Amino acid sequence: IFIEKCIHMMVLELIGERSRDPFALYKGPISNCEDLLAYASDNGLFAIMQTTHLCRLVLGFFFERYTEAASMAEQFRQCHKGLHSLNYILHAFFEGLVSFQLARRSETRSKWITLGEAAIQTFRSWVTHSSWNFENKLALLEAESYFCRGKYNEAENKYEDAIKYSRIHRFVHEEAIAMELYSSFLKACGRVDEYSTLFAGAMDCYKKWGAFGLLKKKQFQTK
């Protein structure tokens, strides 16, 4: 039940219903995620700790709280005990994306590049086992890496691949991520009209995904 509460909390923020309390129906000493983490830590409940950190990592990425997201990624790693393989996949993907964002914003660039490149190597291994699940994620991480290293032609090709594979494989939220990051790349290159088109496409994908809280925040930020 506690793992479900973590995921419920993440979903509520994405859909714009943060005022609703996922712990409200639980009659006990745990009333928020901080209480839950303390309880899990005291009792060695690594799956709960891991899922809580992962949910906060994902939210940190989507809502551009990158420093917080990086901290959650590190804490996830500290409590990783080989549990929940899906959690590990999501951690690798979102930590890689967060790392490349911080590499473009932080003075400790080499640290973040190293973490991002480690994620790429992980997905290069995984894609040999399931191109359907992983080739879009790998393409996007590679695009972000090329962007960080100033290889703009290569970055553009990989962004387009990430969008294409996400669309073909019907990962609408990952299509949104790829389109949004591609739009940021285009904006940085001074290609404003193309940026606007890609950003609008990303917002359409977030809407299809049902992430209305995220959509509202991102649209507000661009005004």
Side-chain angles (χ1 to χ4, degrees), residues 93 123-124 126-143 158-169 171 174:
F93 181 53
F123 277 95
R124 283 179 177 164
W126 289 345
V127 79
T128 62
H129 301 288
S130 176
S131 60
W132 183 275
N133 286 313
F134 300 130
E135 65 181 350
N136 68 309
K137 298 173 180 67
L138 174 59
L140 185 56
L141 288 166
E142 289 175 331
K158 288 295 182 179
Y159 283 123
E160 291 175 353
D161 284 346
I163 294 169
K164 177 180 68 176
Y165 296 143
S166 296
R167 187 173 296 152
I168 290 172
H169 300 166
F171 300 138
E174 291 173 5

Side-chain angles (χ1 to χ4, degrees), residues 85-212:
S85 58
L86 177 59
N87 282 2
Y88 186 54
I89 292 166
L90 294 174
H91 171 267
F93 181 53
F94 283 101
E95 182 179 43
L97 294 178
V98 166
S99 295
F100 287 125
Q101 290 294 326
L102 289 172
R104 293 197 287 272
R105 293 168 165 81
S106 171
E107 294 180 0
T108 55
R109 175 182 169 87
S110 61
K111 169 187 174 180
W112 302 115
I113 289 289
T114 298
L115 283 171
E117 293 296 329
I120 287 174
Q121 292 306 315
T122 296
F123 277 95
R124 283 179 177 164
S125 172
W126 289 345
V127 79
T128 62
H129 301 288
S130 176
S131 60
W132 183 275
N133 286 313
F134 300 130
E135 65 181 350
N136 68 309
K137 298 173 180 67
L138 174 59
L140 185 56
L141 288 166
E142 289 175 331
E144 289 285 276
S145 175
Y146 283 131
F147 183 14
C148 284
R149 291 184 283 140
K151 296 186 175 182
Y152 295 152
N153 290 335
E154 293 90 340
E156 188 162 7
N157 289 335
K158 288 295 182 179
Y159 283 123
E160 291 175 353
D161 284 346
I163 294 169
K164 177 180 68 176
Y165 296 143
S166 296
R167 187 173 296 152
I168 290 172
H169 300 166
R170 299 189 293 278
F171 300 138
V172 66
H173 62 298
E174 291 173 5
E175 182 182 354
I177 295 170
M179 293 183 80
E180 184 181 5
L181 293 179
Y182 189 16
S183 75
S184 296
F185 166 81
L186 293 169
K187 187 176 182 180
C189 294
R191 295 159 61 180
V192 179
D193 290 341
E194 292 171 273
Y195 153 76
S196 298
T197 300
L198 264 293
F199 185 81
M203 297 306 103
D204 285 342
C205 287
Y206 284 132
K207 185 176 180 179
K208 291 177 186 176
W209 191 38
F212 298 108

